[in-house]
Amino acid sequence: MARICTSTRERYRAWCGRRLDEHDLVYCFLDALYLKLRPDETPAEGVLVAWGVTLEGRKVLLGVAARKPRELARTGSTSAATSSLALSSRRRFWSPTARPGSGKRRVSSGRGRSRERCTVHALRNVTKKLPERLHRELKARYWSILDEASSPAEARAGLLALVADYQRAFPSAMAVIERELEALVCHLRFPSEHRKRVRSTNLLERTFVEVRRRTKVIGRFPGETSALCLIWAVLELSSRGWRGVVMTPRAVAEIERLRRALAADRQPDDEAQEEVVAA
């Protein structure tokens, strides 16, 4: 057992020191889960995880980092903290269309990148502000709009119509959609075969299930490093069976066109922002 722990720690340290600029990233997903990482009575801490999807369709684990509750509070939200995982490390990668963010919110990393809101988490936030009798009706209409839309403009019009129908009775619920309208329809800019896979953080949630299952029997870890080593090992193992994203020639061509369009929007002084930094 000691040999296994030592080996895992060594592999984890090697993984932390690797270069990320070899990956041609198309999508970037950030999310967090909360675990007891210390042997004392310290509250559960946020473990931030960043995954990337390359132009070849491979999923790549980019970063794992712990944030104490006071650190999350200082950033103002988990979404801001998850963004720091991708934006505040010394290991850099170029990600022309990456979309950093969290399950609660995906945050833009600057010009030349598309910002997306997780559609599943947004819907949960909407239904929390509605009476239960309306949940099924609103969910069906919400997903129908996003599933049937062929463009951001079409989805935007559908969501605005939905907002108009519920606005007077439930203004706080509809404010969730209004506030994040552009980010909720952003996925429709991507290849049609990728849209349902990239419009939510379900890709991360599935790996989190396995992390929780493995860590539940431990209770509390002897320390943060031990916790991160195990979490990293579980994430790496659970991702091996992932089928990836199919990158057809048509999809790659669409992505390259989007990259050129995004690049054309950059200002001359944006060259210094062309790198995204990941933990």
Side-chain angles (χ1 to χ4, degrees):
M1 181 63 72
R3 284 200 305 273
I4 293 175
C5 291
T6 300
S7 173
T8 300
R9 182 168 299 196
E10 289 175 353
R11 288 188 294 114
Y12 172 67
R13 287 174 177 166
W15 176 82
C16 288
R18 79 207 185 289
R19 293 181 60 86
L20 294 176
D21 55 7
E22 64 186 39
H23 300 301
D24 186 4
L25 295 176
V26 177
Y27 305 114
C28 181
F29 300 83
L30 305 185
D31 209 342
L33 72 163
Y34 286 82
L35 299 170
K36 297 284 188 180
L37 301 185
R38 302 174 191 278
D40 54 25
E41 294 304 314
T42 302
E45 298 178 27
V47 178
L48 314 179
V49 179
W51 287 102
V53 176
T54 70
L55 192 60
E56 296 76 34
R58 294 188 301 107
K59 184 170 72 170
V60 180
L61 180 58
L62 300 172
V64 179
R67 292 291 184 273
K68 298 180 179 61
R70 64 177 178 274
E71 294 177 310
L72 294 177
R74 190 163 58 243
T75 62
S77 68
T78 301
S79 62
T82 49
S83 297
S84 71
L85 176 62
L87 299 173
S88 302
S89 165
R90 284 172 292 183
R91 289 180 294 279
R92 299 173 183 268
F93 62 91
W94 168 224
S95 180
T97 60
R99 300 172 294 102
S102 70
K104 292 185 178 179
R105 182 176 180 180
R106 295 185 177 194
V107 182
S108 173
S109 58
R111 294 179 183 270
R113 296 164 181 82
S114 300
R115 170 186 176 272
E116 182 184 345
R117 176 78 149 89
C118 175
T119 54
V120 173
H121 285 81
L123 179 59
R124 289 174 188 169
N125 288 344
V126 171
T127 55
K128 285 178 184 177
K129 301 176 184 295
L130 293 175
E132 191 171 346
R133 60 185 171 80
L134 294 177
H135 286 190
R136 179 176 294 184
E137 171 189 313
L138 184 132
K139 287 179 180 179
R141 186 170 173 186
Y142 177 88
W143 289 123
S144 176
I145 291 168
L146 295 181
D147 288 345
E148 296 175 11
S150 60
S151 68
E154 188 176 337
R156 189 184 302 113
L159 290 177
L160 287 174
L162 183 151
V163 168
D165 290 343
Y166 289 88
Q167 180 77 60
R168 179 170 294 183
F170 308 102
S172 62
M174 294 304 100
V176 175
I177 295 176
E178 288 183 307
R179 187 168 56 247
E180 299 290 350
L181 183 62
E182 295 304 319
L184 287 171
V185 303
C186 174
H187 66 278
L188 291 162
R189 302 178 69 188
F190 291 92
S192 57
E193 57 264 49
H194 296 171
R195 292 172 183 175
K196 287 189 176 181
R197 300 204 71 187
V198 303
R199 71 186 185 185
S200 75
T201 54
N202 287 347
L203 178 148
L204 279 75
E205 295 291 347
R206 289 192 290 271
T207 60
F208 286 174
V209 169
E210 185 63 17
V211 170
R212 291 189 181 97
R213 187 181 75 82
R214 297 292 186 95
T215 57
K216 184 177 181 180
V217 297
I218 296 175
R220 291 176 183 266
F221 291 92
E224 181 180 298
T225 301
S226 298
L228 293 179
C229 284
L230 177 60
I231 292 167
W232 165 79
V234 173
L235 289 171
E236 282 278 275
L237 181 63
S238 63
S239 68
R240 290 179 185 175
W242 191 70
R243 60 186 176 88
V245 171
V246 177
M247 292 288 182
T248 63
R250 176 183 172 182
V252 171
E254 288 185 44
I255 289 169
E256 294 295 356
R257 281 197 296 271
L258 178 56
R259 282 177 161 175
R260 289 193 294 271
L262 291 171
D265 290 336
R266 289 203 300 271
Q267 300 299 320
D269 58 301
D270 285 333
E271 293 299 317
Q273 300 178 9
E274 286 190 346
E275 287 183 333
V276 178
V277 185

